[in-house]
Amino acid sequence: MDNEMLEFDIGLGGGGREGDDDGLDIDDDEMVDSPSATSGGAGGGSASGGEIYLPEGDLLDLEPYEGMEFESEEAAKAFYNSYARRVGFSTRVSSSRRSRRDGAIIQRQFVCAKEGFRNMNEKRTKDREIKRPRIITRVGCKASLSVKMQDSGKWVVSGFVREHNHELVPPDQVHCLRSHRQISGPAKTLIDTLQAAGMGPRRIMSALIKEYGGASKVGFTEVDCRNYMRNNRQRSLEGDIQLVLDYLRQMHAENPNFFYAVQGDEDGSMNNVFWADPKARLNYTYFGDTITFDTTYRSNRYRLPFAPFTGVNHHGQPVLFGCAFLINESEVSFVWLFKTWLMAMSGRPPVSITTDHDAVIRSAITQVFPETRHRFCKWHIFKKCQEKLSQVFLQHPNFEADFHKCVNLNESIEEFESCWLSLVDGYDLRDHEWLQTIYSARRQWVPVYLRDTFFAEMSITQRSDSMNSYFDGYVNASTNLNQFFKLYEKALESRNEKEVKADYDTMNTAPVLRTPSPMEKQASELYTRKLFIRFQEELVGTLTLMASKAEDDGEVITYQVAKFGEDHKAYYVKFNVLEMKATCSCQMYEFSGLLCRHALAVFRVTNVLTLPSHYILKRWTRNAKSSVILEERTSVVYTNYLESHTVRYNTLRHEAFKFVDDGVKSVETYDVAMDALKVAAKKVAHETKNEGKRGMANGLVRRNLVSDGNHAKCTNDDLEGSSGQHMSEDDMDKRIREIGSELESSNRKCEVYRANLLSVLKDIEDHKMQLSIKVQNIKISMKDGL
């Protein structure tokens, strides 16, 4: 028989794929053992068939020897793998020889998984970056079994090497080796049932261990269970994914501004889908400064790999910026998704983004949003803490409270660092691996590191309403694709109705003012109802605070702000008098966009009567989405007047205090200062008198400006008598009073006209709001009727 030897290695990834897991969870032995990985599950069969052949009878206790016969190649492989399990090593197929005549395999060699060495120069690895390198497992072991096919059709052992050059695995660990891991039919049925009930891989493995009487008797690991569940869910989704495409195409046909995109695979199959309706894209233009990418639904507890982009509107309510189905969850897929979302949002990246604690997502965000501040969701980390430190929670009931205090209640980075060391030392957790992991990422989730960035949250210690809440009550663990879009649309309608109701309440009901402060009245007319109530809390809170000057460098004054008798809990506010800017050590304005009570307390003692315009974020105002801006402009004019008066007052007082400090240093400087004050007082009194006359005269001149072609000239009839002589001083004063009276009358008429116009505009806004509410109610009634 004329044969040709063809050498090949079918132990998946054995040459150089370490580090490329294609999105699957794998362990250190994943890439080096038997070809069972090719069957779609752990230990799913041979490379050629998909069935598992086990030796029978006395063969279980035999050791291979030359001349041993088998009915088939699969039987020989199953025998050697069973022998390897008893001895303590894993196997794979190394090489084969095919017939030149018909191409059939006539010789096989099975080897120890540690046979040979990793080929680091292989083209598929040397030309790309290894993101997740694996440990070296091949050590050149020579143990093997060779079989060849006889003319009778049977297979006979032609070579056997018993010796290994490495330690063998003990019996209680052999079930972790790749070639000995397989998910049996009954186990798959049980996994499918428990997964449908919403259980995750960890709880399912616990049930299997209990069912089979030990981890070594289950026959596979949690990693295999997780991969099987993921593949199972992906296969079930592929059958229904056409529903998604049909829905998105229909939405785009109805409105061309409906955006959707599909990520294709090399084989033409669909990986991931993203969409954003016109309202979501418009909302991003108003409230796209901070977003949340909610990946809660990716967990195995849910049937849908669903991930929405959300934000916060001007009422503090969650608002939608787009959604995605993530069938493939690799880094490449997340990069595609973020780039696609950014394109749908006109290429404008957010200031900040909040996600779950995930290394793959973090890497993708770094690539697509390099200037955006990335934060891990603190509450997801707290939830994970309960899982990772469950034994600590049971043994130490006070640990959870101490952990929350350490994270939330420290006012400086130094305080947090000191408190963290005390916490891990006090509970003997300095070497806890998971705590070390989250500590190394502390700048992305501990509040004290994030206060300098806007996240649209009203409190650092309270949970944001937008995180994992937009679809609460609609999408749950039992939701499938057939139900999804109906529930999705209901969620959109509900959220829209709540926003309309909040708009209506803001525009048609007046809040109760709790102080005589003009700043409170100003805020009540600018902010939405919920935001005003939050601001009002801060304003009223200033009544319990004392602000005292701590430092003055000429331009910036530093105030110490604290409750009476609590100087050890003081905050420090730097106030620039000329620019009307206050910066507080609590950084509430930077984090939430509302001024804190400490800065407002400084405004109170420095006679700042209204909020400076640069501290009013439009995204928190009732006009955040309105096109009517006349009322806003008139308010700004009044605010600017008060600000200019306040700036003059504060600047003059600031200079006067400096003058007094220098003037009292000695008797001589005191005398000089007093003389200077007397001279200044006379000049101010004279200028005040002239200012009144000058204002009236300027009004008179403006009144008598007349147009003459392209020129303008001023008539003097009002300033001269009928004979052309100048009027006397008494007559001029009388004339000035008459003109002033006319000017006041005109001003009153203008105020009436302006008030009438604003009233009409307000009526239009109210009518528009009421129509919107009626339309929403009609839509809901029609859908309920259907």
Side-chain angles (χ1 to χ4, degrees):
M1 185 179 291
D2 191 9
N3 299 322
E4 178 182 1
M5 176 69 78
L6 299 177
E7 296 288 337
F8 64 96
D9 187 338
I10 64 172
L12 288 182
R17 285 179 58 91
E18 280 97 348
D20 186 12
D21 61 11
D22 293 329
L24 296 178
D25 294 317
I26 56 181
D27 58 18
D28 290 337
D29 201 39
E30 176 86 31
M31 309 301 286
V32 296
D33 289 329
S34 84
S36 58
T38 64
S39 64
S46 69
S48 59
E51 298 179 349
I52 298 296
Y53 294 85
L54 297 176
E56 299 178 359
D58 295 337
L59 286 177
L60 285 170
D61 299 322
L62 291 177
E63 183 177 82
Y65 58 87
E66 291 190 19
M68 180 181 286
E69 289 188 349
F70 299 95
E71 291 297 324
S72 67
E73 172 200 348
E74 288 78 12
K77 179 190 171 189
F79 170 78
Y80 188 58
N81 198 49
S82 177
Y83 164 76
R85 182 181 181 91
R86 286 184 283 112
V87 173
F89 67 96
S90 185
T91 66
R92 58 182 170 82
V93 179
S94 176
S95 62
S96 64
R97 174 180 292 172
R98 292 181 181 271
S99 168
R100 186 187 297 272
R101 184 177 56 194
D102 58 10
I105 295 176
I106 59 174
Q107 184 170 331
R108 283 283 197 190
Q109 183 182 32
F110 310 109
V111 298
C112 172
K114 294 182 179 290
E115 180 269 346
F117 298 93
R118 182 185 300 176
N119 185 0
M120 300 304 296
N121 294 321
E122 195 170 347
K123 183 177 180 181
R124 60 181 175 178
T125 58
K126 71 179 183 179
D127 293 338
R128 67 179 182 182
E129 178 186 0
I130 301 297
K131 295 185 174 64
R132 194 176 170 189
R134 301 292 175 186
I135 61 174
I136 301 294
T137 56
R138 296 194 178 189
V139 295
C141 181
K142 300 295 185 181
S144 65
L145 177 74
S146 298
V147 293
K148 62 170 59 176
M149 188 172 69
Q150 303 296 304
D151 292 339
S152 63
K154 294 187 176 183
W155 290 71
V156 64
V157 175
S158 60
F160 171 60
V161 178
R162 172 196 284 180
E163 295 78 13
H164 297 261
N165 67 346
H166 54 87
E167 292 186 4
L168 299 175
V169 175
D172 62 339
Q173 298 176 16
V174 73
H175 66 283
C176 296
L177 295 172
R178 164 53 75 184
S179 68
H180 308 308
R181 286 153 48 185
Q182 58 180 345
I183 302 180
S184 64
K188 289 180 179 180
T189 301
L190 183 56
I191 292 173
D192 293 344
T193 302
L194 297 178
Q195 184 179 13
M199 290 178 62
R202 181 160 300 183
R203 293 176 62 194
I204 289 177
M205 279 302 296
S206 297
L208 288 168
I209 291 171
K210 185 176 181 180
E211 176 73 17
Y212 285 93
S216 62
K217 296 180 181 179
V218 173
F220 53 91
T221 66
E222 185 180 327
V223 170
D224 301 316
C225 179
R226 188 181 301 274
N227 286 338
Y228 172 78
M229 292 173 66
R230 183 173 296 167
N231 292 336
N232 194 30
R233 183 175 63 171
Q234 189 165 331
R235 283 193 297 271
S236 66
L237 282 172
E238 288 172 355
D240 296 332
I241 209 68
Q242 190 61 39
L243 295 172
V244 178
L245 290 178
D246 292 344
Y247 176 84
L248 298 180
R249 288 176 183 136
Q250 178 186 347
M251 292 296 101
H252 181 71
E254 293 176 1
N255 190 332
N257 289 324
F258 185 98
F259 181 98
Y260 78 96
V262 180
Q263 181 189 21
D265 206 348
E266 293 179 357
D267 60 0
S269 62
M270 187 177 69
N271 268 345
N272 300 302
V273 183
F274 168 77
W275 73 93
D277 61 35
K279 184 176 178 61
R281 301 176 72 184
L282 182 62
N283 279 334
Y284 184 76
T285 65
Y286 303 130
F287 311 114
D289 39 20
T290 183
I291 68 168
T292 294
F293 179 55
D294 185 358
T295 54
T296 304
Y297 305 99
R298 290 170 57 226
S299 66
N300 283 292
R301 191 166 67 88
Y302 293 88
R303 294 185 180 183
L304 295 171
F306 175 56
F309 292 85
T310 60
V312 182
N313 69 8
H314 51 323
H315 299 291
Q317 300 169 333
V319 60
L320 192 64
F321 295 145
C323 300
F325 276 133
L326 295 172
I327 298 175
N328 185 317
E329 300 170 6
S330 65
E331 182 179 318
V332 172
S333 292
F334 280 114
V335 169
W336 172 86
L337 174 61
F338 293 146
K339 286 183 176 179
T340 304
W341 176 84
L342 189 61
M343 179 172 63
M345 301 299 134
S346 303
R348 182 170 64 91
V351 173
S352 59
I353 181 171
T354 302
T355 72
D356 196 5
H357 183 208
D358 188 292
V360 175
I361 294 176
R362 175 171 59 182
S363 178
I365 286 176
T366 301
Q367 296 176 52
V368 182
F369 306 116
E371 303 300 323
T372 298
R373 187 74 178 272
H374 181 202
R375 177 180 69 165
F376 296 134
C377 178
K378 178 181 60 177
W379 302 102
H380 283 178
I381 290 179
F382 282 167
K383 187 176 180 181
K384 199 73 173 178
C385 182
Q386 295 174 348
E387 175 186 326
K388 297 290 186 179
L389 299 171
S390 56
Q391 291 299 319
V392 179
F393 280 37
L394 290 174
Q395 295 172 10
H396 305 284
N398 294 329
F399 173 78
E400 184 174 13
D402 291 342
F403 183 76
H404 280 253
K405 288 178 183 177
C406 178
V407 172
N408 288 325
L409 301 184
N410 287 297
E411 296 295 336
S412 68
I413 292 174
E414 293 75 15
E415 289 180 12
F416 167 76
E417 296 288 352
S418 175
C419 184
W420 182 272
L421 290 177
S422 299
L423 180 75
V424 295
D425 286 343
Y427 290 96
D428 194 23
L429 296 171
R430 186 181 281 264
D431 296 326
H432 193 281
E433 183 177 354
W434 186 77
L435 280 179
Q436 289 180 342
T437 299
I438 62 170
Y439 175 74
S440 65
R442 61 193 181 280
R443 289 176 175 80
Q444 288 184 271
W445 68 276
V446 177
V448 74
Y449 291 97
L450 298 163
R451 291 174 177 169
D452 61 344
T453 304
F454 182 74
F455 284 96
E457 291 183 17
M458 295 301 100
S459 171
I460 291 175
T461 58
Q462 295 177 358
R463 181 173 185 175
S464 169
D465 187 39
S466 66
M467 188 64 181
N468 188 28
S469 65
Y470 192 92
F471 291 97
D472 277 4
Y474 296 93
V475 176
N476 54 45
S478 62
T479 303
N480 56 43
L481 270 179
N482 288 321
Q483 306 165 322
F484 174 77
F485 282 109
K486 182 178 291 185
L487 298 173
Y488 164 83
E489 290 182 346
K490 283 188 175 181
L492 294 186
E493 291 174 359
S494 174
R495 290 295 177 186
N496 187 52
E497 182 183 0
K498 289 179 180 178
E499 181 178 339
V500 170
K501 179 66 166 60
D503 283 336
Y504 181 83
D505 289 343
T506 296
M507 300 298 292
N508 292 279
T509 58
V512 177
L513 302 183
R514 299 168 62 184
T515 73
S517 167
M519 186 180 291
E520 183 183 18
K521 187 176 188 303
Q522 174 200 19
S524 71
E525 296 171 352
L526 291 174
Y527 289 130
T528 60
R529 175 57 51 82
K530 181 173 181 178
L531 269 295
F532 168 71
I533 291 174
R534 184 67 186 88
F535 173 82
Q536 190 180 53
E537 291 175 2
E538 294 299 311
L539 186 64
V540 173
T542 64
L543 302 177
T544 64
L545 298 175
M546 298 180 62
S548 56
K549 187 185 299 185
E551 185 179 340
D552 186 351
D553 65 2
E555 292 185 4
V556 177
I557 306 173
T558 301
Y559 288 87
Q560 177 180 297
V561 183
K563 292 183 178 180
F564 180 76
E566 296 185 4
D567 290 349
H568 60 289
K569 296 181 181 179
Y571 293 86
Y572 291 89
V573 179
K574 295 181 181 295
F575 181 51
N576 188 310
V577 180
L578 299 179
E579 297 181 2
M580 294 286 288
K581 290 185 178 179
T583 305
C584 182
S585 59
C586 78
Q587 296 183 302
M588 176 177 164
Y589 179 77
E590 290 80 359
F591 189 76
S592 68
L594 281 180
L595 278 174
C596 63
R597 61 190 61 192
H598 317 112
L600 294 175
V602 171
F603 282 175
R604 187 188 71 232
V605 301
T606 54
N607 201 38
V608 177
L609 303 178
T610 61
L611 279 173
S613 57
H614 49 266
Y615 283 119
I616 303 172
L617 292 190
K618 185 178 180 182
R619 62 114 56 236
W620 289 136
T621 67
R622 58 178 63 195
N623 290 326
K625 300 168 66 175
S626 176
S627 59
V628 179
I629 59 174
L630 178 60
E631 186 172 6
E632 182 180 350
R633 285 179 179 170
T634 58
S635 176
V636 169
V637 170
Y638 176 68
T639 300
N640 288 341
Y641 161 74
L642 290 177
E643 284 181 18
S644 61
H645 179 274
T646 303
V647 168
R648 292 197 300 270
Y649 176 88
N650 283 311
T651 304
L652 189 59
R653 189 175 69 162
H654 181 64
E655 294 298 325
F657 280 150
K658 290 170 60 178
F659 182 78
V660 171
D661 290 338
D662 293 336
V664 298
K665 289 181 179 178
S666 67
V667 176
E668 290 76 12
T669 56
Y670 172 78
D671 292 337
V672 172
M674 288 300 295
D675 291 341
L677 279 176
K678 291 176 182 177
V679 173
K682 290 180 180 179
K683 289 184 177 180
V684 170
H686 183 266
E687 183 62 25
T688 302
K689 183 178 180 181
N690 289 339
E691 183 69 23
K693 291 184 177 181
R694 191 158 50 244
M696 289 297 183
N698 287 340
L700 177 63
V701 170
R702 284 194 299 271
R703 179 175 174 273
N704 291 301
L705 282 174
V706 295
S707 176
D708 182 16
N710 293 325
H711 303 280
K713 64 181 180 179
C714 178
T715 63
N716 295 322
D717 293 344
D718 288 319
L719 298 179
E720 299 180 355
S722 58
S723 61
Q725 300 297 319
H726 286 283
M727 298 173 64
S728 67
E729 187 172 345
D730 291 341
D731 292 338
M732 184 177 291
D733 288 342
K734 180 180 178 182
R735 185 59 179 152
I736 288 174
R737 284 193 298 272
E738 291 175 355
I739 294 172
S741 178
E742 293 177 11
L743 182 60
E744 288 179 7
S745 176
S746 298
N747 286 335
R748 283 195 298 271
K749 290 180 181 179
C750 287
E751 286 297 320
V752 172
Y753 294 149
R754 189 182 72 86
N756 290 338
L757 178 59
L758 291 178
S759 178
V760 170
L761 290 174
K762 189 175 185 301
D763 289 341
I764 292 173
E765 279 290 304
D766 292 346
H767 187 61
K768 185 170 69 174
M769 188 71 67
Q770 292 168 2
L771 286 176
S772 177
I773 293 173
K774 288 181 180 179
V775 169
Q776 292 301 319
N777 290 335
I778 292 172
K779 285 183 178 179
I780 293 172
S781 299
M782 292 176 65
K783 286 193 175 287
D784 290 342
L786 293 176

